[in-house]
Amino acid sequence: MRARWAHELGWGHAFLELPGFAPDFSTYLKLEGLNPAGSVKLKTARAMVEHAETDGVLKPGSRLIESTSGNLGIALASVCAAKGHRLTLVTDPNATEHSVRCMRALGAEVVVVTARDPGGGFLQSRIELIHRVLARDPSVVWLNQYTNPANPGAHLDSTAVEIFEGFGEPDWLFIGTGTGGTLMGVVEYARRTRAATRIVAVDTLGSVTFGGAPGRRWIPGLGASRRPEIFEDDGSFAKVLVEERETVLMCRRLARSHGVLLGGSSGTVLAAVRAVRDSIRPGSTVLAIAPDLGDRYLDSVYDDDWVTARFGAATAAATPARHDTGMTKGHR
């Protein structure tokens, strides 16, 4: 079935209904990928840079530095280009080539670390490199999305308001957990307003944020190999872990069934909705925050060879990105 627009009130209020996604309840996406930087991270980036400016730690000529798996880096590069700040971004091989090229096109210096940390990921390696840079040059300003209160504050003031005032109070709300900024901001808003919404935090298997064992991960966005300091599990929300294979299948199925090209984080969140669908009361309204769209994943999640190499030929064959037309090169 074709997807249809529920609201179209600017990028912060773009909600898309997914008819037929679940037979017993209504499912909607909050499409954060429609904002100018292409992901929900624009809110975080803008808030952290403005917080540094207001606090006076960001002085004329200062250089900012941050760790990123892709989306935040693009958002920060966009904000810093507009504001005239110099920026260094530290990323890793899981970041897509498209994302790295975007960061550099926007004027950022990009450093790619290749050594895995003890948890099997790259996050601690990225942070250790930042500490070495700060030791050499104390004038460099680390925004530190993992501890910065402006991160959840951005979503308390914007994302949560857009949902509960723009969309209306959903029965269920699914939120991906990377640093935890979006989740923590929305949870705080729901606490203050005493919303009855059931909030579900979603992470990828192999991430340690929810206390699970570390494991190798291929898809950037959600997950961490060290627990972000801003993440606080106060028991007010449920938690779901999703295997990356399910993320791939969900992204590719949604592209074919609803004509929506979603990013890896968005596919993970929808896979969590599918995983707990039997617990959702018929007639409920379910909203999932889709942090990004799929254009940055065309060479990974939507590429048959990439999927086959990491998740096997059966996964790629289940939802092939290419159709065999029977034509070969040279035929017209």
Side-chain angles (χ1 to χ4, degrees):
M1 300 177 68
R2 294 181 180 178
R4 61 174 178 266
W5 293 103
H7 301 278
E8 203 166 6
L9 306 173
W11 64 262
H13 299 272
F15 298 95
L16 182 70
E17 184 179 4
L18 297 178
F21 180 81
D24 298 326
F25 54 85
S26 300
T27 306
Y28 296 83
L29 289 175
K30 186 178 193 304
L31 291 178
E32 292 286 349
L34 295 180
N35 79 49
S39 80
V40 71
K41 293 294 187 178
L42 178 61
K43 297 170 180 176
T44 303
R46 182 173 56 197
M48 291 196 303
V49 171
E50 291 178 352
H51 181 69
E53 291 172 335
T54 302
D55 278 5
V57 298
L58 183 55
K59 298 177 172 55
S62 295
R63 175 176 290 276
L64 292 166
I65 193 168
E66 185 56 287
S67 162
T68 177
S69 60
N71 284 335
L72 179 67
I74 294 172
L76 279 172
S78 177
V79 170
C80 287
K83 288 178 170 287
H85 299 308
R86 296 184 300 156
L87 174 67
T88 296
L89 295 166
V90 183
T91 189
D92 60 62
N94 281 348
T96 67
E97 180 62 24
H98 179 281
S99 293
V100 172
R101 291 176 65 184
C102 283
M103 296 178 215
R104 287 176 172 150
L106 289 164
E109 176 191 25
V110 181
V111 179
V112 182
V113 303
T114 57
R116 290 189 178 272
D117 57 38
F122 295 98
L123 177 54
Q124 191 59 42
S125 297
R126 298 195 319 240
I127 291 175
E128 288 174 357
L129 187 147
I130 289 174
H131 281 303
R132 292 196 296 271
V133 171
L134 296 176
R136 293 196 304 267
D137 186 355
S139 70
V140 175
V141 178
W142 181 21
L143 293 171
N144 197 353
Q145 60 176 314
Y146 314 104
T147 64
N148 196 323
N151 183 355
H155 301 285
L156 170 64
D157 296 336
S158 61
T159 308
V161 174
E162 292 159 7
I163 291 169
F164 289 97
E165 296 185 11
F167 178 82
E169 187 174 304
D171 297 302
W172 290 70
L173 177 58
F174 289 75
I175 307 173
T177 308
T179 62
T182 306
L183 174 69
M184 292 292 98
V186 174
V187 165
E188 176 61 18
Y189 184 96
R191 183 190 65 79
R192 293 183 184 182
T193 60
R194 299 182 179 180
T197 298
R198 179 77 182 273
I199 296 177
V200 181
V202 182
D203 204 359
T204 184
L205 192 66
S207 170
V208 304
T209 302
F210 294 168
R216 189 165 191 171
R217 292 172 286 113
W218 298 103
I219 302 173
L222 301 187
S225 53
R226 61 185 287 275
R227 184 167 175 155
E229 288 83 351
I230 62 173
F231 176 79
E232 295 182 9
D233 186 359
D234 63 359
S236 66
F237 51 86
K239 300 183 290 295
V240 174
L241 287 173
V242 174
E243 294 185 25
E244 285 193 324
R245 179 180 181 274
E246 295 304 316
T247 294
V248 171
L249 290 172
M250 179 58 68
C251 286
R252 290 157 71 103
R253 285 170 181 161
L254 258 291
R256 295 294 181 84
S257 64
H258 286 77
V260 182
L261 201 66
L262 295 176
S265 300
S266 304
T268 304
V269 174
L270 274 178
V273 176
R274 180 65 58 85
V276 303
R277 62 187 182 276
D278 292 342
S279 300
I280 299 175
R281 187 188 301 274
S284 296
T285 297
V286 174
L287 178 63
I289 298 179
D292 55 3
L293 297 179
D295 56 312
R296 295 170 186 173
Y297 299 82
L298 294 177
D299 293 329
S300 55
V301 171
Y302 295 99
D303 182 80
D304 289 345
D305 294 334
W306 186 93
V307 172
T308 298
R310 290 156 182 79
F311 304 102
T315 302
T319 49
R322 298 187 292 262
H323 283 305
D324 184 1
T325 64
M327 299 178 66
T328 59
K329 291 182 179 179
H331 290 89
R332 295 188 181 272

